[in-house]
Amino acid sequence: GPTRKMPLTASAMDFFQLFVPDNVLKNMVVQTNMYAKKYQERFGRDDAWVDVTLTEMKAFLGYMISTSIHHCESVLSIWSSGFYSNKSIALIMTQSRFEKILKYFHIVAFRSSQTTHSLYKIQPFLDSLQNGFDSAFRPSQAQVLHEPLIDEDPVFIATCTERELRKRKKRKFSLWVRQCSSTGFICQIYVHLKEGSGADGLDALKNKPQLHSMVAKSLCQNASGKNYIIFTGPSITSLNLFEEFEKQEIYCCGLLSTRKSDCTGLPPSMLNNSETPQSRGQYRIRMKGNMSLICWYNKGHFRFLTNAYSPVQQGVIIKRKSGEIPCPLAVEAFAAHLSYICKYDDKYSKYFISHKPNKTWQQVFWFAISIAINNAYILYKMSEAYHVTRYSRAQFGERLVKELLGLEDTSPSH
């Protein structure tokens, strides 16, 4: 849960600033102004540009965040006369001023000579965000490594033509998270660039198991010695990785797939489906030290690799139509934590900022801001302030937008 007690009068802005404080916003102001100056020195004077202020930067973020609530395809719709226009917030800043800030917006204006990382333009912000996540929240023992749903609005995908879909550029990065499966709070973010010749690029990591193993190690670098139980999908699950994590006192439970997983070191007899028909709930177990390989049957064979649960402990999967199906406890635990993440995706993935810039670092930035707002809402729901005014996720987002734009005071209405 939260590591600090927030006051009853805490606003949406107070929770958001646990992760994006004023000093981070002030740095955005400085870097944007520096970049604008450098740009104009190179390409000619821009008479319409005036240095951005902290108030304007907050308003700029507020406009972008508003697209996560109203799901408009372009942030500029706010100033239009169409369906997504919003006259109440459009008056705070003119469209031309917003576009100027958008043109010059930067988090790191200059590349230092020592910088080799491809995400250097956003890395300081990601580091600051991570510090905020670590200091504001203490996760439960059970956590999940996965890729959250951050793709296009499903309504847009259902209505657009095949040609429009092909025209839209695919993301050049993948975003992975380590997430507390009790609350949905995202504890750590890892961004992997799909292109690049560096040590972290796909050119250096041709095989997927090696890539996913590297992702898992990066996400769990702050988890050693804390007896966490990490749930993983088939792409990450492997015997070598789990044994390496066990040395760091990190325990695992993962779904295994003969097609997607690295099955090195696992007995082939457990990876082949038996020809004799089996009844639902039957399972076989092989052990090596603390590691158990479970093959469980339920309208198909499901394999699990774990060193976090004893294979002799019994669990049960409850199905609406077929009732209770017996299984090892590891299978029950995996199903429970996976279903929680599915619920999180259903509830929160639709609140990602809709703005789709061309630059990769900006795409990562808006995804990271969206995750920070979702985390802020989770902390808000766990605080006493929630019992004073019970905002839904959409209301919390609207409140945050108004506070960033300076349209409301930051004390909740009783």
Side-chain angles (χ1 to χ4, degrees):
T3 56
R4 68 190 78 176
K5 189 176 180 180
M6 298 293 281
L8 287 169
T9 55
S11 64
M13 186 74 166
D14 291 332
F15 287 97
F16 177 64
Q17 292 214 301
L18 291 172
F19 312 124
V20 189
D22 266 352
N23 65 319
V24 171
L25 297 175
K26 286 173 184 174
N27 181 63
M28 291 179 195
V29 170
V30 171
Q31 297 294 328
T32 299
N33 290 333
M34 283 169 63
Y35 180 79
K37 184 181 177 183
K38 180 179 80 167
Y39 186 93
Q40 289 172 52
E41 284 172 359
R42 186 174 178 185
F43 297 107
R45 184 173 171 79
D46 184 351
D47 293 325
W49 173 255
V50 179
D51 277 0
V52 69
T53 63
L54 179 62
T55 303
E56 285 182 315
M57 185 58 73
K58 286 182 178 180
F60 173 75
L61 288 179
Y63 283 126
M64 287 297 194
I65 292 166
S66 71
T67 67
S68 68
I69 304 154
H70 305 295
H71 307 293
C72 48
E73 191 56 27
S74 169
V75 66
L76 301 180
S77 304
I78 292 168
W79 291 274
S80 71
S81 55
F83 180 77
Y84 290 112
S85 64
N86 193 331
K87 296 289 184 287
S88 63
I89 65 174
L91 299 172
I92 301 298
M93 185 186 289
T94 64
Q95 181 179 337
S96 58
R97 178 58 177 163
F98 174 87
E99 288 184 274
K100 283 293 176 191
I101 298 172
L102 181 60
K103 177 181 177 180
Y104 295 122
F105 175 68
H106 264 70
I107 295 164
V108 175
F110 301 102
R111 183 171 189 157
S112 66
S113 55
Q114 294 86 18
T115 304
T116 56
H117 199 284
S118 303
L119 287 172
Y120 76 94
K121 285 194 173 184
I122 194 180
Q123 198 58 52
F125 175 75
L126 293 177
D127 293 341
S128 169
L129 201 62
Q130 189 58 57
N131 289 335
F133 291 169
D134 290 341
S135 61
F137 185 81
R138 188 171 55 252
S140 66
Q141 185 184 30
Q143 294 165 40
V144 183
L145 305 187
H146 72 118
E147 287 183 275
L149 286 176
I150 57 173
D151 287 317
E152 304 287 357
D153 179 7
V155 175
F156 171 77
I157 285 181
T159 55
C160 75
T161 63
E162 213 174 298
R163 186 163 171 246
E164 283 177 315
L165 268 178
R166 279 200 304 270
K167 276 172 68 180
R168 296 178 79 81
K169 291 182 180 178
K170 288 188 176 179
R171 288 199 318 270
K172 294 180 181 178
F173 65 94
S174 56
L175 187 85
W176 293 76
V177 299
R178 175 164 58 86
Q179 187 170 17
C180 169
S181 62
S182 300
T183 60
F185 189 96
I186 288 177
C187 309
Q188 193 157 351
I189 299 172
Y190 177 78
V191 180
H192 175 77
L193 294 177
K194 293 181 179 177
E195 297 174 1
S197 55
D200 59 346
L202 273 189
D203 295 346
L205 295 165
K206 294 292 184 187
N207 63 339
K208 288 287 179 73
Q210 186 186 356
L211 166 64
H212 292 138
S213 174
M214 185 200 74
V215 169
K217 288 173 187 174
S218 298
L219 284 171
C220 294
Q221 60 189 356
N222 299 329
S224 60
K226 296 180 181 177
N227 287 313
Y228 288 154
I229 297 175
I230 304 293
F231 292 87
T232 63
S235 59
I236 292 178
T237 303
S238 81
L239 179 63
N240 291 335
L241 179 67
F242 283 13
E243 286 178 339
E244 198 172 323
F245 274 167
E246 189 174 357
K247 292 172 186 173
Q248 302 171 37
E249 295 179 46
I250 302 170
Y251 301 94
C252 305
C253 180
L255 182 63
L256 197 68
S257 163
T258 51
R259 192 166 53 88
K260 293 181 180 178
S261 305
D262 178 8
C263 297
T264 308
L266 298 174
S269 61
M270 291 291 284
L271 302 177
N272 300 324
N273 296 336
S274 59
E275 294 178 4
T276 54
Q278 289 185 291
S279 58
R280 295 175 73 178
Q282 282 191 326
Y283 57 89
R284 294 179 293 146
I285 296 169
R286 287 284 295 274
M287 292 187 69
K288 178 189 173 185
N290 293 328
M291 202 72 65
S292 306
L293 176 57
I294 301 165
C295 181
W296 177 68
Y297 184 82
N298 177 26
K299 290 187 177 179
H301 290 88
F302 294 89
R303 294 172 179 84
F304 297 86
L305 189 65
T306 183
N307 56 2
Y309 296 92
S310 165
V312 296
Q313 282 187 287
Q314 291 295 307
V316 67
I317 299 283
I318 300 172
K319 296 284 183 182
R320 195 176 297 168
K321 291 182 179 177
S322 51
E324 295 184 352
I325 304 167
C327 65
L329 183 62
V331 178
E332 181 189 343
F334 185 91
H337 292 295
L338 199 68
S339 68
Y340 188 92
I341 296 307
C342 290
K343 286 176 187 172
Y344 174 90
D345 282 340
D346 289 344
K347 183 172 183 180
Y348 292 104
S349 63
K350 60 177 175 278
Y351 293 109
F352 277 82
I353 291 167
S354 300
H355 176 64
K356 298 290 185 292
N358 289 325
K359 292 176 182 171
T360 299
W361 74 264
Q362 290 186 5
Q363 292 174 24
V364 174
F365 175 77
W366 296 118
F367 283 135
I369 287 285
S370 302
I371 287 172
I373 299 168
N374 285 340
N375 276 355
Y377 180 68
I378 288 167
L379 290 188
Y380 159 71
K381 282 196 75 175
M382 298 172 77
S383 74
E384 292 179 0
Y386 180 68
H387 301 292
V388 178
T389 47
R390 290 174 175 260
Y391 294 128
S392 66
R393 173 62 183 83
Q395 290 170 328
F396 183 85
E398 286 174 355
R399 183 89 186 176
L400 177 61
V401 168
K402 288 181 177 178
E403 288 168 14
L404 282 165
L405 291 165
L407 289 172
E408 288 189 19
D409 60 22
T410 53
S411 60
S413 53
H414 293 270

